[in-house]
Amino acid sequence: MSEKQVYWFVGASYGGTEDQTERFLEEGIWENGYRDKLLDKVREMQPGERIAIKSSYTRKHGLSFESGGQTVSVMAIKAIGTITRNVGDGRRVEVAWDQQFDPAREWYFYTNRSTVWKVIPDDWMREGLVNFAFAGGQQEISRFRNHPYWRERFGEVSSDKKRFRWTLFYEAFAKALLNFRQDRAALVTKALEIAQKYGLTYLDKKGLDDICPFTTMGMFNRGVTDANRIAIAQELADFLGVDEAVPNSFEGIPILNNQKSWFFAFSEEREPNAIDNLWNLFELAQHQADQEDDVESDDFTQLYDEVASQLGVGWNLTMGLYWIRPWSYLTLDAQSQEYITKKLELPIPKQGGKGRCTGRDYIGLIRALEKRFQEDSYQVHSFPDLSLAAWLYNADDVSAHPNAIDPDDVIDGATEPSSDLFEPYGIETVVNDGCFIRKSALENILQRLEDKKNIILQGPPGTGKTWLAKRMAYALMGEKAKHRLSSVQFHPNLSYEDFVRGYRPVGGEKGLELVDGPFMNLVERAKNDPGHRYVMVIEEVNRGNPAQIFGELLTLIEADKRNPDDALELSHHRAGAPPVYVPENLFIIGTMNVADRSLALVDMALRRRFAFLDLEPELNETWKKWVSHHFDVDIRFLEEIRRRVEGLNSTIRDNPGLGKQFLIGHSYFTPARNQKVIDPLAWFEQVVETEITPLLEEYWFDNAEKPQQEASKMLEGL
């Protein structure tokens, strides 16, 4: 398949028009129904490029696989052909249609709601789509279902292990609520009844004469106890006739400020159509999410802008949209905004009034995030995942909590979220994530970590030490709880004061302040949460001076001294504070590159307190199958890579000045999960020229010809 080959997937109905497929086929054309949109896209189409007519929608029932009650995105392929001429007006191309599908062929998950979708098959998803549409191939349903982007909803995971089950209730609640759009008097009566019963003074005796759907859902999305949230949600669900079960916890769901829980103003202050506008957007947002319509339509963005500018709405609107369709819309509460800008490092466009998003800003950010969610290595893979991660996010050591819009309005009683919100993680997961080490060896590493509490993974460059350290941390926890993992890197300038505790300037003439470093911060968090395990990953332990950096903690981290009886005063003691000890639920995983000649031998005191485990290059059958499956590289080519790398490693091992600690690891020859390997030979040549050759030059620094000789052997005859 050519690298630059372009394929087009286009709609045949737009702006409320009837399906034009039959007319297009009869006239040998495809036509853009918009006079002022998509013109540049259509002008890009070239003769010879393949084109397919598609229709996007959703389905919940009648699927050939288990969807867990979730709605699945579907893209039906109706006809395929080849572009023969582009008229150049941005409206029409001539097409030789060669096949019509009746019934249409249905493709799931990886869909696009835009009228014109340009596809270049540069990864396995796009390649699969092109093969399905134009070559009659079959979709690998299981592979898509279990991809991180879809796994939470559709993956082959037992229902009790799935996170975000609350989304089923929220979506069903929103759908049922629509039935009361024309019967709001009954809804107001019920809301007032619940307000009196549960003491919701912000509603009771406030002259409530009308109500919007977002304010209704806000009744159980405020800063009250979970017991009251569940009870209120249950009463409303019974009234509306919602079949889905009320969730038993609400972790990661953003909530309203208790003082700002209406989405509209009092009757004397609001515009006559303010509440109608809220109902209109509530209905339109659900329709576009459920029908896979082009959500960037002018109707949505214009209505969004109008509603957001109404008195009492503002940023709360994004939260309300997230409640009703959490897999389709993004919440921009204060905590989520901080996570997006600081952790994900994405700017939030704010071109609207009062420094807020416009409708186009909001949809643009949604589209940008959806694209990133599909990357295997991205931090989060869905809007619920993002909202939960934002809730758990620790920025500058300030505990996160679901306090929603007003960052100054703190909710008391934030607790460790329930474990069923985190992805279960164990040795099998480590293997499935791309570890090529034998399962028995991984079990041994985990057992030594359990027993010793402190381990160091050591090995030559490219053996995946840091990658494995973080995954073994999750395996130890039994779940992928990222907020209980802390990572630091040792370096020559790192000190005890940086890592443990030290004095820092506080600005102005205030002098110095005693500040805890990352290790003491983790110690305190682990002490306050004894029911969960915490892990610190220390990269490149031997690049710093471990004895100096740890100080008296070298004694405190010993497995048999993890108790208050063995507590010690730290060098920088806090007045009135008790002596310090390291709790039993805190574990340390270090990594060490054994090939770095610039590093001194590890202090014997450190060696006594850590178990050292060796990692080696793993260019084995597991590695070959993994790379072949995920990057579509021929298994025979990978066998040739293995043979050549092992030949180089044999030379390195037998060299008196080098040895086994200088072997070349498998990571160099394992593409990153989000990398595209279009030409395997070109990829391998680039790795050898830009990564392996410089490393060999470092190894044979006293022999200028040797590195190039060995690099040439790696590439010769391919």
Side-chain angles (χ1 to χ4, degrees):
M1 197 174 291
S2 173
E3 178 181 348
K4 296 184 179 180
Q5 181 68 49
V6 173
Y7 298 82
W8 298 92
F9 292 81
V10 296
S13 59
Y14 20 72
T17 63
E18 293 184 1
D19 189 346
Q20 303 291 307
T21 300
E22 292 299 331
R23 180 173 72 85
F24 291 163
L25 296 180
E26 289 175 8
E27 298 180 15
I29 63 166
W30 175 80
E31 197 169 62
N32 171 16
Y34 299 105
R35 296 184 178 276
D36 58 350
K37 294 168 64 176
L38 306 172
L39 304 183
D40 290 341
K41 277 284 186 188
V42 176
R43 290 191 183 103
E44 284 185 46
M45 297 179 178
Q46 298 295 319
E49 293 175 345
R50 298 283 275 161
I51 187 170
I53 294 177
K54 55 96 173 177
S55 174
S56 297
Y57 48 91
T58 61
R59 177 176 294 158
K60 194 170 185 178
H61 306 290
L63 298 162
S64 61
F65 53 90
E66 176 57 48
S67 68
Q70 297 280 1
T71 300
V72 180
S73 296
V74 185
M75 189 168 72
I77 306 299
K78 298 180 175 181
I80 56 175
T82 303
I83 299 170
T84 58
R85 178 171 176 259
N86 191 327
V87 177
D89 60 357
R91 298 284 313 284
R92 175 184 290 212
V93 292
E94 295 177 3
V95 180
W97 297 108
D98 50 45
Q99 192 169 3
Q100 182 178 11
F101 301 107
D102 187 16
R105 300 186 68 216
E106 291 189 335
W107 170 268
Y108 304 100
F109 304 114
Y110 183 63
T111 64
N112 189 293
R113 66 189 77 198
S114 300
T115 302
V116 177
W117 185 20
K118 178 182 178 181
V119 173
I120 300 174
D122 52 4
D123 66 12
W124 68 269
M125 292 188 196
R126 296 181 182 90
E127 286 179 354
L129 172 59
V130 167
N131 182 56
F132 176 86
F134 297 100
Q138 297 300 310
Q139 184 177 7
E140 293 182 82
I141 296 292
S142 180
R143 189 174 184 186
F144 280 88
R145 287 176 64 189
N146 292 291
H147 184 274
Y149 184 49
W150 293 285
R151 184 169 55 215
E152 295 288 359
R153 286 170 284 174
F154 312 110
E156 294 164 347
V157 180
S158 60
S159 59
D160 61 319
K161 297 295 185 183
K162 286 188 177 179
R163 304 183 299 169
F164 313 125
R165 285 170 287 173
W166 60 266
T167 60
L168 293 170
F169 173 78
Y170 274 65
E171 290 181 347
F173 188 100
K175 184 177 180 180
L177 189 53
L178 268 178
N179 297 328
F180 283 80
R181 176 173 183 168
Q182 305 304 326
D183 192 10
R184 293 185 337 229
L187 195 58
V188 169
T189 299
K190 186 63 181 179
L192 291 174
E193 176 190 317
I194 292 174
Q196 291 174 1
K197 183 175 180 179
Y198 293 96
L200 306 182
T201 56
Y202 78 101
L203 288 175
D204 191 23
K205 298 177 183 178
K206 299 294 184 182
L208 186 69
D209 59 350
D210 200 352
I211 196 166
C212 79
F214 299 111
T215 301
T216 304
M217 293 192 73
M219 292 174 68
F220 57 90
N221 289 288
R222 301 171 66 249
V224 297
T225 66
D226 275 6
N228 277 351
R229 291 180 72 180
I230 292 169
I232 293 169
Q234 188 65 65
E235 291 218 20
L236 284 169
D238 292 342
F239 173 72
L240 298 175
V242 178
D243 293 331
E244 291 289 345
V246 174
N248 56 20
S249 63
F250 300 88
E251 291 94 338
I253 304 174
I255 60 175
L256 295 170
N257 182 323
N258 284 2
Q259 306 304 314
K260 303 172 185 176
S261 299
W262 289 33
F263 280 71
F264 53 89
F266 290 115
S267 57
E268 62 270 17
E269 298 176 310
R270 68 175 179 257
E271 293 295 325
N273 60 345
I275 294 181
D276 284 335
N277 286 342
L278 286 158
W279 279 99
N280 289 339
L281 185 59
F282 181 76
E283 182 172 7
L284 179 61
Q286 287 186 67
H287 172 79
Q288 293 192 145
D290 294 347
Q291 300 303 317
E292 289 284 294
D293 287 347
D294 186 352
V295 80
E296 297 174 64
S297 70
D298 291 339
D299 288 346
F300 181 89
T301 54
Q302 289 173 7
L303 188 53
Y304 177 99
D305 290 339
E306 184 175 358
V307 171
S309 67
Q310 293 177 182
L311 189 62
V313 181
W315 286 113
N316 281 13
L317 182 57
T318 67
M319 191 189 309
L321 291 170
Y322 174 73
W323 290 339
I324 67 175
R325 288 297 181 268
W327 300 103
S328 300
Y329 297 108
L330 166 69
T331 173
L332 288 174
D333 57 87
Q335 194 71 24
S336 293
Q337 288 195 41
E338 183 172 28
Y339 181 81
I340 290 168
T341 55
K342 290 186 176 180
K343 184 67 174 178
L344 301 183
E345 298 182 343
L346 278 178
I348 298 176
K350 299 179 180 179
Q351 302 180 67
K354 299 183 179 180
R356 301 187 184 115
C357 288
T358 65
R360 292 203 178 277
D361 291 339
Y362 179 61
I363 293 303
L365 184 57
I366 285 174
R367 293 291 162 264
L369 282 164
E370 285 180 331
K371 188 173 182 180
R372 299 303 303 273
F373 290 161
Q374 295 177 30
E375 298 174 10
D376 288 354
S377 59
Y378 204 54
Q379 293 98 316
V380 289
H381 296 288
S382 67
F383 296 120
D385 198 10
L386 188 155
S387 181
L388 175 61
W391 182 47
L392 299 171
Y393 179 53
N394 267 340
D396 302 323
D397 297 317
V398 177
S399 294
H401 49 76
N403 64 307
I405 300 306
D406 187 350
D408 298 320
D409 183 48
V410 178
I411 307 295
D412 293 330
T415 59
E416 166 73 19
S418 127
S419 289
D420 63 4
L421 282 172
F422 302 113
E423 176 187 343
Y425 210 93
I427 294 298
E428 288 287 351
T429 325
V430 179
V431 174
N432 293 337
D433 273 356
C435 182
F436 314 130
I437 300 172
R438 297 187 321 277
K439 184 179 176 182
S440 60
L442 293 174
E443 290 171 343
N444 179 59
I445 293 173
L446 189 60
Q447 188 61 55
R448 294 302 296 137
L449 181 58
E450 294 260 13
D451 296 341
K452 191 73 173 177
K453 296 192 181 297
N454 314 306
I455 66 170
I456 287 178
L457 303 177
Q458 62 178 6
T463 46
K465 296 177 287 295
T466 299
W467 184 95
L468 182 61
K470 292 180 178 180
R471 282 156 181 80
M472 293 308 295
Y474 295 139
L476 178 77
M477 298 174 192
E479 57 192 6
K480 199 169 185 178
K482 296 179 182 179
H483 68 293
R484 300 205 299 269
L485 171 67
S486 180
S487 297
V488 297
Q489 185 176 51
F490 278 11
H491 55 80
N493 292 324
L494 190 72
S495 67
Y496 174 93
E497 286 73 16
D498 297 319
F499 183 64
V500 180
R501 179 184 289 168
Y503 286 95
R504 312 274 175 84
V506 292
E509 298 180 357
K510 296 180 180 179
L512 300 175
E513 180 181 4
L514 192 59
V515 177
D516 284 345
F519 190 80
M520 282 306 301
N521 282 329
L522 197 64
V523 164
E524 291 305 314
R525 288 169 58 197
K527 281 182 184 178
N528 293 329
D529 185 19
H532 294 91
R533 290 173 165 180
Y534 286 73
V535 181
M536 172 156 281
V537 171
I538 303 175
E539 300 179 41
E540 306 287 3
V541 167
N542 52 337
R543 281 195 170 275
N545 184 333
Q548 182 184 69
I549 294 170
F550 275 98
E552 59 274 291
L553 288 173
L554 272 182
T555 296
L556 296 179
I557 64 174
E558 288 189 49
D560 59 355
K561 290 184 172 58
R562 301 291 193 96
N563 60 78
D565 292 339
D566 288 300
L568 295 174
E569 297 282 2
L570 295 188
S571 298
H572 297 302
H573 175 63
R574 292 189 187 279
V580 170
Y581 72 95
V582 177
E584 289 190 358
N585 61 327
L586 192 155
F587 299 78
I588 302 172
I589 306 177
T591 70
M592 197 166 74
N593 181 359
V594 295
D596 197 329
R597 289 180 168 126
S598 67
L599 304 179
L601 293 173
V602 174
D603 187 277
M604 288 305 296
L606 183 75
R607 284 197 173 275
R608 190 165 63 81
R609 290 162 174 88
F610 283 78
F612 286 72
L613 298 118
D614 293 324
L615 301 185
E616 299 177 349
E618 299 286 352
L619 292 164
N620 50 28
E621 288 298 316
T622 306
W623 168 78
K624 286 193 293 184
K625 290 177 182 177
W626 170 268
V627 176
S628 178
H629 176 71
H630 286 86
F631 304 98
D632 197 23
V633 179
D634 190 282
I635 204 82
R636 292 168 296 182
F637 184 72
L638 294 171
E639 173 58 30
E640 187 61 28
I641 290 177
R642 183 198 63 76
R643 188 183 67 79
R644 292 173 185 239
V645 175
E646 288 189 351
L648 174 60
N649 277 339
S650 178
T651 300
I652 292 171
R653 185 185 293 106
D654 295 341
N655 188 290
L658 297 173
K660 67 176 184 178
Q661 66 267 38
F662 291 88
L663 300 179
I664 308 294
H666 51 271
S667 296
Y668 289 105
F669 309 100
T670 307
R673 288 290 293 266
N674 58 349
Q675 186 176 343
K676 303 175 182 69
V677 181
I678 297 170
D679 183 340
L681 177 57
W683 159 71
F684 181 60
E685 289 175 341
Q686 289 170 3
V687 170
V688 172
E689 291 169 2
T690 64
E691 298 180 60
I692 304 305
T693 301
L695 187 62
L696 298 181
E697 288 171 348
E698 209 175 291
Y699 285 2
W700 283 292
F701 62 91
D702 56 351
N703 187 339
E705 296 180 357
K706 185 66 171 176
Q708 196 55 54
Q709 290 173 356
E710 295 300 329
S712 296
K713 288 181 185 178
M714 295 278 285
L715 300 174
E716 188 177 15
L718 286 176

